[in-house]
Amino acid sequence: MNTKSFHFILTISCSMFLLSSCGNSQEECELDEKILDVPIDLSIERLEKQFYTASTEEEFLFLLEEYPDFAKDYLEVELYESKEQLAQELIFINQDTLMQELYAEVQENYADLNQLEQDLSHAFAYIKYYFPDFNIPKVYTFLTGFSNDLYISDEMIVIGLDYFLPKEHEFQPTDLPRYIADRYDREYIVPMVVTAISSKYNKVDPKQNTLLAEMIFYGKAYHFTKSILPCTADDFIIGYTSEEVVACFANEEFIWSHFIENDLLYETNPFEIRKYTGEAPATDAISPDAPGRVGRWLGWNIVDDYRFNNDISLDELMEMEDAEKIFRQSGYKPRQ
């Protein structure tokens, strides 16, 4: 598919479907009240406030004792000779002028976390509804100095708020290319968290190492996230712009043809697989205008079709290891 055809079909799509994706108007979406009634006990602890207003060794030692899980798993206190040594390092970081400036900017941009707390509570209620074994983790926010965007385990989630400052903000992570850094905004926090949690339930067959298996893995992850966040736009789940989402659907037949004509589904070369599922500004093998990771997007469509065409629950879908079976029974065809 050449660049011209990609743009041409996008133009046709926007004229035909102005009232849907291209017009950015969506049907009214409401969360299921029955699911929201699932009891959730969540309160976000703002550890950046506590750690960046502390100044003495005694205060830091108290915080390390007060939050032993954070000290052990996030700050990795066991790597230090003593807690006192870690406390001294934290004092040094706290006294850094740039870190204090960054802290002030985080406090200004995240004056309160009421909306984030509500959105996470709703997401956890949905996960708990579909997966009763899900235990609500502790949720902390922190100022990481752009060293860790999200830390997620079964017991604890740490959100590095400095990563999620507005994308036009003067403070930006220096180790991320622009096309990735653009996805670090507040609207992406909850979808990122939910997608990460999906890996706990996303079963795979390690013997299936094809491009198709990789596509289905990501497809299940995004389907999980959309099921947990039904009112969240696809843009924030997969990390595309709304224009890229529209363009992908407009060119879906061209994209699918590329995979079929080049016998890609059962490709096992990891370098070839990465061309279609790895992070990149574009999927150049298809078109310089095709967004990166388009194989993941295609896998999402296949999984959506599988769930739509088969009587299967979300937890049953996530338990399925056989990517080939999901594909064969999906009845997937590109949208016309």
Side-chain angles (χ1 to χ4, degrees):
M1 178 181 62
N2 58 39
T3 305
K4 183 178 179 182
S5 66
F6 200 90
H7 281 303
F8 175 73
I9 293 180
L10 172 57
T11 304
I12 295 295
S13 174
C14 286
S15 65
M16 291 175 64
F17 302 111
L18 187 59
L19 296 180
S20 57
S21 300
C22 295
N24 287 325
S25 68
Q26 298 180 352
E27 292 182 9
E28 196 69 27
C29 179
E30 294 183 1
L31 298 177
D32 190 327
E33 290 297 332
K34 177 182 66 176
I35 296 179
L36 295 184
D37 283 341
V38 173
I40 297 296
D41 182 17
L42 173 65
S43 178
I44 298 178
E45 282 280 355
R46 302 203 63 169
L47 294 191
E48 79 278 0
K49 285 188 174 183
Q50 302 194 47
F51 276 81
Y52 282 86
T53 56
S55 58
T56 67
E57 181 177 299
E58 291 73 21
E59 288 175 315
F60 280 108
L61 288 173
F62 171 78
L63 290 173
L64 296 177
E65 291 292 333
E66 187 75 4
Y67 301 100
D69 52 349
F70 181 77
K72 177 178 180 294
D73 296 327
Y74 189 82
L75 296 179
E76 299 182 311
V77 63
E78 293 176 353
L79 297 181
Y80 294 82
E81 292 181 2
S82 65
K83 289 184 179 178
E84 286 76 13
Q85 185 185 40
L86 173 56
Q88 287 299 319
E89 181 168 320
L90 291 170
I91 290 172
F92 177 77
I93 294 171
N94 191 309
Q95 292 174 343
D96 184 87
T97 303
L98 283 176
M99 290 300 292
Q100 283 297 325
E101 288 182 22
L102 185 57
Y103 170 70
E105 291 299 315
V106 166
Q107 294 308 300
E108 181 178 341
N109 282 272
Y110 288 94
D112 70 70
L113 297 180
N114 296 337
Q115 188 62 54
L116 177 60
E117 188 168 285
Q118 181 185 75
D119 292 344
L120 277 175
S121 293
H122 290 169
F124 290 166
Y126 266 73
I127 297 174
K128 188 77 173 175
Y129 177 81
Y130 289 113
F131 302 88
D133 67 329
F134 176 67
N135 293 316
I136 308 304
K138 294 179 181 178
V139 180
Y140 301 128
T141 58
F142 197 57
L143 179 65
T144 75
F146 298 114
S147 64
N148 200 343
D149 52 354
L150 290 171
Y151 173 92
I152 298 178
S153 69
D154 289 345
E155 296 79 27
M156 179 178 71
I157 294 174
V158 182
I159 302 169
L161 289 179
D162 42 332
Y163 271 91
F164 297 95
L165 290 168
K167 56 185 169 184
E168 67 276 3
H169 197 278
E170 62 174 311
F171 287 108
Q172 295 292 328
T174 57
D175 60 337
L176 292 178
R178 185 74 260 169
Y179 71 91
I180 295 179
D182 282 348
R183 305 202 296 262
Y184 281 86
D185 213 337
R186 67 174 68 229
E187 291 88 355
Y188 292 91
I189 295 176
V190 177
M192 283 184 177
V193 168
V194 173
T195 302
I197 291 173
S198 76
S199 63
K200 173 182 173 66
Y201 302 101
N202 197 348
K203 300 296 188 294
V204 299
D205 180 354
K207 297 189 297 294
Q208 295 188 9
N209 60 347
T210 62
L211 173 56
L212 174 64
E214 183 112 339
M215 291 163 58
I216 297 299
F217 170 80
Y218 284 111
K220 287 168 65 183
Y222 294 142
H223 183 93
F224 176 98
T225 303
K226 187 68 174 184
S227 299
I228 300 305
L229 303 173
C231 295
T232 297
D234 292 358
D235 318 10
F236 301 118
I237 293 174
I238 195 169
Y240 286 173
T241 65
S242 57
E243 292 80 10
E244 286 173 332
V245 171
V246 171
C248 282
F249 277 113
N251 292 275
E252 187 173 4
E253 189 171 357
F254 284 91
I255 294 170
W256 180 242
S257 295
H258 177 87
F259 279 76
I260 298 303
E261 291 169 4
N262 292 280
D263 295 322
L264 291 173
L265 295 184
Y266 300 101
E267 176 64 64
T268 58
N269 184 327
F271 296 103
E272 286 298 312
I273 291 174
R274 180 169 174 76
K275 289 180 183 179
Y276 299 96
T277 60
E279 287 289 0
T283 306
D284 289 326
I286 297 177
S287 166
D289 288 322
R293 302 170 291 123
V294 80
R296 301 187 192 185
W297 174 83
L298 200 55
W300 186 6
N301 288 341
I302 294 170
V303 172
D304 280 353
D305 284 359
Y306 175 76
R307 181 99 187 274
F308 181 80
N309 291 319
N310 294 272
D311 184 16
I312 186 170
S313 63
L314 179 61
D315 59 319
E316 290 173 329
L317 168 69
M318 299 305 288
E319 284 284 335
M320 289 192 65
E321 299 180 353
D322 192 341
E324 170 73 14
K325 180 178 179 181
I326 291 174
F327 171 59
R328 292 299 179 190
Q329 295 184 0
S330 69
Y332 169 75
K333 291 182 180 179
R335 284 72 175 166
Q336 299 296 325

